[in-house]
Amino acid sequence: MFTLHGTGVGFGIAIGTARLIRRLGQEVPEYSIQNEQADAEIKRLTKGIHTATECLKAYYEDIRRESTDEVHAILDAHLLMMQDPVLLEQSALIIRERLVNAEFALQVHCNDLQEIFQNIDDPYMRSKSDEISQVIGRIQDELLGQRAGHSSLEGIQEGEIIVTHDLMPADTIEFKKYRVGAFLTNLGGPISHTAILARSMRIPAIVGLHEGIRYLKSGDTLVVDGKRGVVLVDPDTAALDVYERRAAKIQRAKKELESIKYKPAISLDGQTVQLNANIEFAEELSQSLASSASGIGLYRTESLYMNRQEFPDEQEQFEVYSALLYSTKLPITIRTLDLGADKQVDGGRKNMSLATNPALGRRAIRLCLHDLTLFKPQLRALFRASVHGNLKIMIPMISDQAELDQVFIVLNEIRQELTQENLPFKPDIPVGGMIEVPAAAVTADIFAKRLDFLSIGTNDLIQYTLAIDRIDDEVNYLYDPLHPAILRLIKLVIDAGKNADIPISMCGEMAGDVECTRILLALGLREFSMDSAVISEIKQRVRGTDINEIEQIVIDLLSSNDPDHYRGLIERINRLSNNENPSIT
Ligand code: PEP
Ligand code: MG
């Protein structure tokens, strides 16, 4: 038995078997072979291609009925590429000439092909280079699986613990299909995609294991402790026993939390709090409603644009938004596209910034205003769908008043177009903005006067304020939602909302962090939006809080200039909470 340590996120404890998954971008091993081994290596390559093809065919059969024509077209093309004799011939030639292993020969061939595709002018053809790496990646997965117990996504068993270098936003779509036990990744921090995914799937994850996963192989028995950030590898019976008992206790606590579901989110001193849900897919609405969410505080629409060749047109989006709005009377806040930076979907097509520092580049509303062919169909779809329910439109990452001027011009154009076309829409849909950039937080009073609501996106606000790239695990130890700078900015935004008499919400991960709930309540926040998985826990904390009692302590906290005193006050606030129920983490 040995242990690995990283950043624990998500829920509870998982005990299960490791499954190593190699994702795009992860290094392929390179080693030399002897001349006389070349034939055997080519045979291994041939077998790898054959098995990968059979697996892909089986996967295709599995999903054929419930997937779209677009997915069929992609998989047909992948099968053709995989079976192309040139792929085998060229890679075999590389094995013979350079005397390298099959996976690496495939990589060399893949790089050559990508170079050719990258130099093609036609952006559509250029985008095909991603598909080549996906196809070759599948074969490499297969080869690595034969050699070292790696394997690809197909055939994942319930409860298995996924061990991988990193997860991308697009992976969330794939993984939500499987009932996996936990995630372990080399990269990532508390607000990385793996963390958000794990929370939404109500499972533990340990991110930022650095090179830790190299000590693991598929089939190892693992205990994943999401609270402490510890992985036990091949635990002995005594350790296993302890963890099984702890896991059972957490299960019982989860059941107890169920009973709070239909109780109102009212504090001990009688103040009502709104607890909304964040969703990434329209299908998550029912789960959110089942968790008694008061509405949807953030629908991240990027998922509509992921894992596909062509972006969705106005009609497709109209249908998705209409169905969503039609199915509930509760308010649904739909965020306009937030592509770019950590949310890449198509390898840089559609004018996406490939800047050195994409988080500071042309992303979110900047990208949409730069490319109205991206922005307008979405807004038209939203306006048209608005008649079916209670819609709010939210603009991500606003930082400058000039952006708002432009947004309002586009919105007016759309109102005029739809009127001319005789298409029904609600003219007065509330339009709000996300406060994610420190400049916007500091000038929240100006934004508050021009918008119908504001929502604090703490994932980005923390990234920009503390200068820590949210996907860089080397600096994620600095992630601290309770940093005085963050609390002061949040207060500015909440006060600006009060003065302008508009609602202020929070939809970053901080809103679902029970250690922050009481402080946010005392700062005046009354609307939280979080993964539906944590609503009950946050509600329990709200119900155990006397906001009046802690308001003065939070005022002292904001003016404290002694770090020990500061931490002491936070601990005191959280200790004061009347929280008798057991923790589910
Ligand atoms: C945020 O930045 O807090 C947020 C909710 O947006 P996202 O995590 O999608 O960037
Ligand atoms: Mg954000």
Side-chain angles (χ1 to χ4, degrees):
M1 174 173 104
F2 61 96
T3 57
L4 298 173
H5 298 259
T7 307
V9 290
F11 294 86
I13 288 167
I15 301 173
T17 315
R19 176 179 278 249
L20 268 65
I21 305 270
R22 198 186 66 82
R23 311 299 294 145
L24 281 179
Q26 199 176 333
E27 289 232 327
V28 170
E30 173 190 0
Y31 54 90
S32 306
I33 55 167
Q34 303 292 324
N35 215 341
E36 54 277 18
Q37 292 173 310
D39 281 342
E41 198 59 16
I42 292 170
K43 216 164 151 189
R44 196 167 77 84
L45 170 68
T46 315
K47 190 166 168 227
I49 294 178
H50 175 75
T51 320
T53 311
E54 291 309 307
C55 281
L56 185 56
K57 279 184 186 163
Y59 174 63
Y60 193 4
E61 270 318 302
D62 257 14
I63 62 150
R64 189 189 289 272
R65 278 202 319 161
E66 59 204 65
S67 49
T68 59
D69 288 349
E70 194 153 21
V71 173
H72 298 170
I74 293 172
L75 290 180
D76 281 334
H78 282 198
L79 277 170
L80 274 178
M81 282 189 227
M82 215 176 247
Q83 289 166 304
D84 183 349
V86 178
L87 175 70
L88 174 61
E89 279 162 30
Q90 285 301 318
S91 309
L93 196 69
I94 294 165
I95 293 179
R96 245 184 238 300
E97 283 179 353
R98 299 204 193 176
L99 292 176
V100 287
N101 55 314
E103 300 86 338
F104 188 71
L106 279 166
Q107 196 56 47
V108 174
H109 181 51
C110 180
N111 295 348
D112 292 347
L113 286 175
Q114 281 196 316
E115 208 179 308
I116 297 170
F117 273 82
Q118 290 299 343
N119 287 326
I120 299 177
D121 275 345
D122 178 0
Y124 177 75
M125 288 305 287
R126 251 198 336 266
S127 73
K128 290 281 164 206
S129 73
D130 282 351
E131 295 200 33
I132 293 166
S133 16
Q134 276 173 24
V135 168
I136 290 184
R138 279 179 186 272
I139 305 168
Q140 288 167 326
D141 281 349
E142 199 49 56
L143 289 165
L144 288 163
Q146 287 164 17
R147 219 173 42 78
H150 282 62
S151 59
S152 57
L153 239 61
E154 290 101 59
I156 288 176
Q157 303 293 312
E158 185 169 340
E160 276 185 331
I161 293 169
I162 303 301
V163 181
T164 188
H165 186 63
D166 193 18
L167 294 177
M168 298 292 127
D171 291 329
T172 56
I173 296 172
E174 291 274 321
F175 275 109
K176 287 209 169 171
K177 293 199 292 243
Y178 301 99
R179 290 168 63 89
V180 300
F183 294 114
L184 303 181
T185 58
N186 271 341
L187 302 185
I191 47 172
S192 62
H193 300 288
T194 311
I196 294 176
L197 176 64
R199 272 191 283 270
S200 77
M201 292 174 72
R202 300 162 163 80
I203 59 174
I206 301 188
V207 298
L209 280 162
H210 298 273
E211 288 312 306
I213 72 167
R214 81 158 69 155
Y215 302 105
L216 303 177
K217 57 184 187 315
S218 288
D220 281 346
T221 300
L222 305 178
V223 171
V224 180
D225 182 339
K227 185 167 188 180
R228 291 171 182 78
V230 178
V231 189
L232 271 64
V233 187
D234 285 329
D236 54 32
T237 26
L240 205 53
D241 193 43
V242 169
Y243 272 96
E244 274 169 352
R245 271 187 279 128
R246 274 189 49 204
K249 198 169 153 207
I250 291 170
Q251 245 353 80
R252 282 197 298 278
K254 265 190 190 167
K255 283 233 167 70
E256 279 180 47
L257 261 186
E258 283 281 300
S259 65
I260 209 171
K261 210 156 53 179
Y262 301 107
K263 294 185 180 161
I266 298 182
S267 66
L268 288 175
D269 53 331
Q271 306 201 46
T272 301
V273 178
Q274 211 170 309
L275 302 181
N276 293 326
N278 291 351
I279 58 171
E280 292 188 40
F281 308 96
E283 298 79 45
E284 288 174 304
L285 178 71
S286 51
Q287 193 183 28
S288 308
L289 299 181
S291 319
S292 301
S294 340
I296 300 299
L298 165 66
Y299 170 24
R300 293 179 162 103
T301 52
E302 297 77 48
S303 61
L304 287 173
Y305 292 69
M306 285 173 182
N307 293 349
R308 55 190 294 166
Q309 283 302 311
E310 289 303 318
F311 284 174
D313 61 12
E314 176 184 326
Q315 184 59 22
E316 182 181 339
Q317 294 192 62
F318 166 70
E319 283 162 22
V320 174
Y321 304 146
S322 299
L324 192 66
L325 288 159
Y326 191 72
S327 47
T328 176
K329 286 197 174 69
L330 296 173
I332 297 197
T333 308
I334 302 186
R335 176 174 78 182
T336 60
L337 255 185
D338 185 15
L339 292 183
D342 58 322
K343 301 183 190 82
Q344 295 291 342
V345 288
D346 72 343
R349 248 167 64 224
K350 281 274 176 199
N351 293 333
M352 259 194 245
S353 167
L354 293 177
T356 333
N357 204 338
L360 303 181
R362 191 193 286 153
R363 53 165 293 205
I365 188 60
R366 302 171 181 183
L367 175 69
C368 285
L369 289 173
H370 170 78
D371 183 355
L372 290 181
T373 65
L374 204 56
F375 199 28
K376 275 185 104 175
Q378 181 174 43
L379 289 176
R380 281 181 55 101
L382 286 169
F383 267 76
R384 286 174 52 203
S386 64
V387 290
H388 295 299
N390 190 348
L391 169 69
K392 296 180 182 186
I393 295 178
M394 183 157 79
I395 312 291
M397 220 203 151
I398 45 169
S399 59
D400 194 285
Q401 296 304 318
E403 283 168 342
L404 265 197
D405 296 340
Q406 290 179 55
V407 168
F408 290 146
I409 290 173
V410 179
L411 292 178
N412 274 335
E413 271 171 25
I414 285 168
R415 287 190 190 98
Q416 278 166 17
E417 281 173 21
L418 295 178
T419 311
Q420 273 161 17
E421 291 165 39
N422 267 332
L423 289 169
F425 66 94
K426 280 191 185 165
D428 52 353
I429 308 163
V431 176
M434 283 186 77
I435 301 295
E436 306 185 87
V437 179
V442 173
T443 55
D445 54 334
I446 312 177
F447 285 103
K449 283 195 192 115
R450 303 186 68 195
L451 286 160
D452 299 313
F453 64 94
L454 297 177
S455 184
I456 310 173
T458 49
N459 304 342
D460 278 311
L461 186 63
I462 294 172
Q463 147 166 274
Y464 295 126
T465 308
L466 303 185
I468 45 167
D469 187 337
R470 64 192 272 185
I471 54 172
D472 183 348
D473 64 306
E474 286 182 9
V475 287
N476 74 43
Y477 68 97
L478 290 167
Y479 172 82
D480 179 11
L482 296 175
H483 189 293
I486 302 299
L487 294 189
R488 288 180 196 189
L489 286 178
I490 290 172
K491 179 153 175 30
L492 277 179
V493 182
I494 294 173
D495 289 351
K498 274 191 193 140
N499 289 336
D501 201 20
I502 61 162
I504 304 291
S505 157
M506 176 179 287
C507 61
E509 291 301 291
M510 185 177 182
D513 182 344
V514 76
E515 298 298 313
C516 305
T517 311
R518 306 194 95 217
I519 292 160
L520 294 171
L521 288 169
L523 286 174
L525 192 74
R526 294 292 177 271
E527 206 177 312
F528 296 63
S529 191
M530 65 203 79
D531 198 287
S532 63
V534 286
I535 289 183
S536 289
E537 201 184 355
I538 300 296
K539 193 192 285 183
Q540 184 188 49
R541 180 58 63 111
V542 170
R543 291 173 59 85
T545 300
D546 182 336
I547 303 175
N548 262 326
E549 184 190 28
I550 51 173
E551 264 163 359
Q552 185 54 48
I553 314 178
V554 170
I555 293 172
D556 295 346
L557 182 74
L558 288 176
S559 58
S560 165
N561 49 20
D562 169 3
D564 290 339
H565 180 238
Y566 188 85
R567 287 288 145 192
L569 287 178
I570 290 175
E571 271 170 32
R572 195 169 139 215
I573 291 165
N574 280 332
R575 251 200 330 272
L576 269 173
S577 101
N578 177 19
N579 186 359
E580 280 152 14
N581 290 331
S583 163
I584 60 158
T585 55

